[in-house]
Amino acid sequence: MKLIESVPNFSEGRREEVVRQIIEEAQKYERVKILDWSMDFDHNRSVVTLVGEPEEIETAIFDMVKKATELIDLRSHSGEHPRMGATDVIPFIPVMNTTMEECIEISKRVGERIGKELNIPVYLYEKSASSPDRENLAKIRKGEFEGFFEKIKDPKWKPDFGPDQVHPSAGVVAVGAREYLIAFNVNLGTNDIKIADKIAKAVRHISGGFRYVKAIGIELKEKGIVQVSMNLTNYKKSPIFRVFETIKREAQRYGVPVLNSEIIGMIPLKAAIETMKWYLQLDDFDEERVIENKILNTFFE
Amino acid sequence: MKLIESVPNFSEGRREEVVRQIIEEAQKYERVKILDWSMDFDHNRSVVTLVGEPEEIETAIFDMVKKATELIDLRSHSGEHPRMGATDVIPFIPVMNTTMEECIEISKRVGERIGKELNIPVYLYEKSASSPDRENLAKIRKGEFEGFFEKIKDPKWKPDFGPDQVHPSAGVVAVGAREYLIAFNVNLGTNDIKIADKIAKAVRHISGGFRYVKAIGIELKEKGIVQVSMNLTNYKKSPIFRVFETIKREAQRYGVPVLNSEIIGMIPLKAAIETMKWYLQLDDFDEERVIENKILNTFFE
């Protein structure tokens, strides 16, 4: 079985019936499943996590964008989270038996359809970006919905697909392929935030650490401890076990114990199996040898 | 989704068409999947690994036994492996969202049907055993097919189900529930078999080690190293990571490195997740947070 994940963000976090109608579009597809969805009132934004087979998820996402375009009007939208579109951003993520290349292709096909059929300007971002300037979502979104009516006139910001004019109510949308992101936090047995900061600095890319790690030190005041809070943006290349072992070693340096750690949300099976393989020194093992995964693949062979 | 595994052993390892006909009985069921099967000429025995939903696997196994009873005649069977029945032994193993109790019930229902409908004496073994004497399969099988015509007359060996007479061609069969067994080997950087023996002794139950570990030291002559070769008969109670860490520590004692390790065959997802949780010090994580597993459960909710 081939699986791709998508996590579209919609600019509606207050009217639940609107979000439900958008989700219903995806529920029509047998081989697409909603793993999770959440609304945030203050951000006035909702995030849906779905997984499915490549062809079905491609069509399901388009149907959701179409519905969001009908139901959300950015002219009357306000919220804390920056946004530029009724559907604000659509990432595609390879999860199982699929490659980044397939996700890039899907993002381009969906983007083209959104541009043509819904008349919404589309910007390809991350791995799908047509230039390095467009890799970073925040850079594309700068100026937001209101600012885009001017921004789009700049030849540098000509959309990858769709018209050269902002959609009056639905704005513009970013579509792209990216790696699976793991949110991973490590709790330290100290209340000294300086130590969490130093360790975050040691492991994060920007200050000389691992290529695909973003990290900050934060205080958990009610617990009286500090935490190294991370996003692992490519668990295949900067794996969770190597980052964790480095943090443990750095904490030792300060005479501080690692109390425990936490993974927020879900992970792909591969991330768990690679962790087990490394610690148990297994040279020859892979996901195909996990019974549940074999079953999943066998039921859909 | 609920999943139970079964690994029936049939006394036929030479005529492939016979084994295929037995397997075909299980393939009729949509929610039963053959994960693996193998034939051994010298043992004259075949082993089939199947996984499925409780109701379907129960019926599928009965159909396989019925077919094996038609096609295998123990009066003309010889092979290196001890055997007492055309279908020799049928274990049921809880794999996902199922309990040992459910497997015990299934083993009893299947056993009763085999006794009644096929006129084969049935012995419940392992967790299903009706007395401690019958927990150990080797004890039940002692005397084999040929010896059972006398053995069955002993009131101590009255079958749990079926007639008090051995089936003339199909013999008798053992049916029972057991835990998933993980075959786990650790390779040491020495050719001194005494060290592998000592470490095997340190971890195995019989000589004072972990309750659910069987272990021996063996030589891998072509590689010039030795190995601690193990069966973990209950990975939930004597977990793989604890056994591995103990072996590493014992090896250190002798100044010998652990080169690598290997898992033979498949493992349940839970075994991998528990390993990851322990090494990463994750207090709050379970299989439900692995995307592929969530998908499997969602597709069959």
Side-chain angles (χ1 to χ4, degrees):
Chain A
M1 190 186 203
K2 299 177 74 158
L3 284 180
I4 285 174
E5 184 178 83
S6 186
V7 191
N9 287 218
F10 301 99
S11 294
E12 176 56 66
R14 294 171 189 174
R15 295 175 299 160
E16 189 173 322
E17 75 282 6
V18 167
V19 180
R20 287 196 181 274
Q21 282 182 71
I22 294 169
I23 289 173
E24 275 166 20
E25 292 297 318
Q27 286 168 333
K28 291 176 192 163
Y29 293 87
E30 207 195 329
R31 291 193 169 192
V32 169
K33 298 288 171 184
I34 312 294
L35 292 187
D36 188 37
W37 68 277
S38 62
M39 289 173 60
D40 188 297
F41 187 92
D42 297 329
H43 287 185
N44 200 1
R45 188 179 181 87
S46 55
V47 177
V48 184
T49 304
L50 36 149
V51 176
E53 290 204 311
E55 309 76 38
E56 294 213 351
I57 204 161
E58 181 177 335
T59 321
I61 288 288
F62 177 81
D63 293 353
M64 293 172 92
V65 175
K66 192 175 175 197
K67 183 59 74 179
T69 306
E70 288 165 31
L71 301 179
I72 300 171
D73 188 338
L74 279 193
R75 287 169 293 197
S76 55
H77 178 277
S78 68
E80 280 173 24
H81 199 289
R83 81 285 177 268
M84 58 184 184
T87 305
D88 197 58
V89 55
I90 308 167
F92 290 99
I93 303 133
V95 164
M96 187 169 81
N97 299 327
T98 45
T99 61
M100 187 57 74
E101 287 61 43
E102 286 174 271
C103 288
I104 293 173
E105 281 170 33
I106 288 178
S107 71
K108 289 183 178 172
R109 281 200 300 269
V110 170
E112 195 173 3
R113 255 192 101 186
I114 293 172
K116 265 191 197 155
E117 298 181 33
L118 306 179
N119 274 307
I120 300 172
V122 172
Y123 293 90
L124 296 171
Y125 82 112
E126 283 262 357
K127 302 282 183 191
S128 307
S130 54
S131 77
D133 267 358
R134 297 186 178 189
E135 282 175 19
N136 187 316
L137 177 63
K139 256 191 180 170
I140 297 175
R141 194 156 52 197
K142 204 177 169 194
E144 300 191 39
F145 172 66
E146 291 76 7
F148 242 101
F149 292 86
E150 271 305 302
K151 184 173 179 175
I152 202 167
K153 294 177 185 164
D154 182 346
K156 208 188 120 192
W157 289 106
K158 183 179 161 59
D160 290 296
F161 299 111
D164 291 345
Q165 288 191 317
V166 177
H167 188 289
S169 61
V172 305
V173 59
V175 185
R178 65 164 169 81
E179 273 295 349
Y180 192 90
L181 184 150
I182 295 177
F184 179 55
N185 302 326
V186 177
N187 292 327
L188 305 177
T190 176
N191 59 6
D192 185 350
I193 184 66
K194 287 198 299 292
I195 292 176
D197 283 339
K198 279 184 201 169
I199 296 179
K201 243 175 132 174
V203 295
R204 74 184 170 210
H205 180 238
I206 200 171
S207 43
F210 295 105
R211 172 73 184 87
Y212 298 102
V213 175
K214 296 175 180 176
I216 53 168
I218 61 173
E219 284 186 79
L220 303 183
K221 284 196 179 139
E222 70 291 358
K223 289 187 181 162
I225 59 172
V226 298
Q227 179 182 83
V228 181
S229 178
M230 288 168 284
N231 277 334
L232 310 185
T233 58
N234 186 331
Y235 70 89
K236 293 169 190 162
K237 293 186 177 169
S238 299
I240 197 164
F241 53 81
R242 190 166 298 135
V243 175
F244 181 67
E245 288 299 316
T246 306
I247 289 173
K248 275 209 302 195
R249 188 65 190 87
E250 292 289 321
Q252 255 178 38
R253 153 72 183 81
Y254 301 105
V256 163
V258 165
L259 298 180
N260 60 4
S261 63
E262 55 187 25
I263 289 172
I264 310 296
M266 307 196 74
I267 59 169
L269 177 59
K270 193 183 183 64
I273 296 305
E274 291 299 318
T275 302
M276 176 182 78
K277 278 183 73 171
W278 193 83
Y279 282 109
L280 296 182
Q281 297 175 225
L282 295 165
D283 287 334
D284 174 36
F285 196 85
D286 63 33
E287 301 90 87
E288 297 306 306
R289 286 165 62 190
V290 173
I291 295 172
E292 285 85 343
N293 189 46
K294 178 97 175 182
I295 298 283
L296 182 64
N297 282 302
T298 311
F299 272 109
F300 295 98
E301 70 193 356
Chain B
M1 189 185 204
K2 298 178 74 157
L3 284 179
I4 284 173
E5 184 178 81
S6 186
V7 192
N9 286 219
F10 301 99
S11 295
E12 177 57 68
R14 294 172 189 174
R15 295 175 299 161
E16 189 173 325
E17 75 283 5
V18 168
V19 180
R20 286 197 181 276
Q21 282 182 71
I22 295 169
I23 290 174
E24 275 165 20
E25 292 297 318
Q27 285 168 332
K28 291 175 192 163
Y29 294 86
E30 209 194 327
R31 292 192 170 194
V32 170
K33 299 288 172 185
I34 313 293
L35 291 187
D36 189 35
W37 67 276
S38 61
M39 289 172 61
D40 188 297
F41 186 92
D42 297 329
H43 287 184
N44 199 4
R45 189 180 182 87
S46 54
V47 178
V48 184
T49 305
L50 36 149
V51 176
E53 292 203 311
E55 309 75 38
E56 294 213 351
I57 205 161
E58 181 176 335
T59 321
I61 287 289
F62 177 82
D63 293 354
M64 293 172 91
V65 175
K66 190 174 176 197
K67 183 59 74 178
T69 305
E70 288 165 31
L71 301 178
I72 300 171
D73 188 339
L74 279 193
R75 287 169 293 197
S76 56
H77 178 276
S78 67
E80 282 173 21
H81 200 289
R83 81 286 179 266
M84 57 185 185
T87 304
D88 197 58
V89 55
I90 307 167
F92 290 99
I93 303 132
V95 164
M96 188 168 82
N97 299 326
T98 45
T99 62
M100 187 57 74
E101 287 61 42
E102 286 174 272
C103 288
I104 292 173
E105 281 170 32
I106 288 178
S107 71
K108 290 183 178 173
R109 279 198 302 269
V110 170
E112 195 172 4
R113 253 192 102 186
I114 292 173
K116 265 191 196 155
E117 298 183 32
L118 305 178
N119 275 306
I120 300 171
V122 173
Y123 293 91
L124 296 170
Y125 81 113
E126 284 262 356
K127 302 281 184 191
S128 307
S130 54
S131 77
D133 267 358
R134 298 188 177 188
E135 282 175 19
N136 187 315
L137 178 63
K139 257 192 180 171
I140 297 174
R141 194 156 51 197
K142 204 177 167 195
E144 300 192 40
F145 172 65
E146 291 75 7
F148 242 100
F149 292 86
E150 272 305 302
K151 183 173 179 175
I152 204 168
K153 294 176 186 165
D154 183 347
K156 208 187 120 190
W157 289 106
K158 183 179 162 59
D160 290 295
F161 299 110
D164 291 345
Q165 288 192 314
V166 176
H167 188 288
S169 61
V172 304
V173 59
V175 185
R178 63 163 170 83
E179 274 295 351
Y180 193 89
L181 185 151
I182 295 177
F184 180 55
N185 303 326
V186 178
N187 292 327
L188 306 176
T190 175
N191 59 6
D192 186 350
I193 183 67
K194 287 199 298 291
I195 292 175
D197 283 339
K198 279 184 201 169
I199 296 178
K201 242 173 132 173
V203 296
R204 73 184 171 211
H205 179 238
I206 199 170
S207 43
F210 295 105
R211 172 71 184 89
Y212 297 101
V213 175
K214 296 174 180 177
I216 53 169
I218 62 172
E219 284 186 77
L220 303 183
K221 285 198 176 135
E222 70 291 358
K223 289 187 180 162
I225 60 171
V226 298
Q227 178 181 84
V228 181
S229 178
M230 287 167 285
N231 277 335
L232 310 185
T233 58
N234 186 331
Y235 69 90
K236 292 169 190 162
K237 293 187 178 167
S238 299
I240 197 164
F241 53 82
R242 190 165 300 135
V243 175
F244 182 66
E245 288 298 315
T246 306
I247 289 174
K248 276 208 303 194
R249 186 66 190 85
E250 292 289 320
Q252 255 177 38
R253 152 72 183 81
Y254 301 105
V256 163
V258 165
L259 298 179
N260 60 5
S261 63
E262 54 187 23
I263 288 172
I264 311 296
M266 308 197 73
I267 60 169
L269 177 59
K270 192 181 183 64
I273 295 306
E274 291 298 317
T275 302
M276 176 182 78
K277 277 182 75 171
W278 192 83
Y279 281 110
L280 296 182
Q281 298 177 225
L282 295 165
D283 288 334
D284 173 36
F285 196 86
D286 63 33
E287 301 90 87
E288 297 306 307
R289 285 164 64 191
V290 173
I291 294 173
E292 286 85 343
N293 190 46
K294 178 98 174 180
I295 297 283
L296 181 64
N297 282 304
T298 312
F299 270 109
F300 294 99
E301 72 196 350

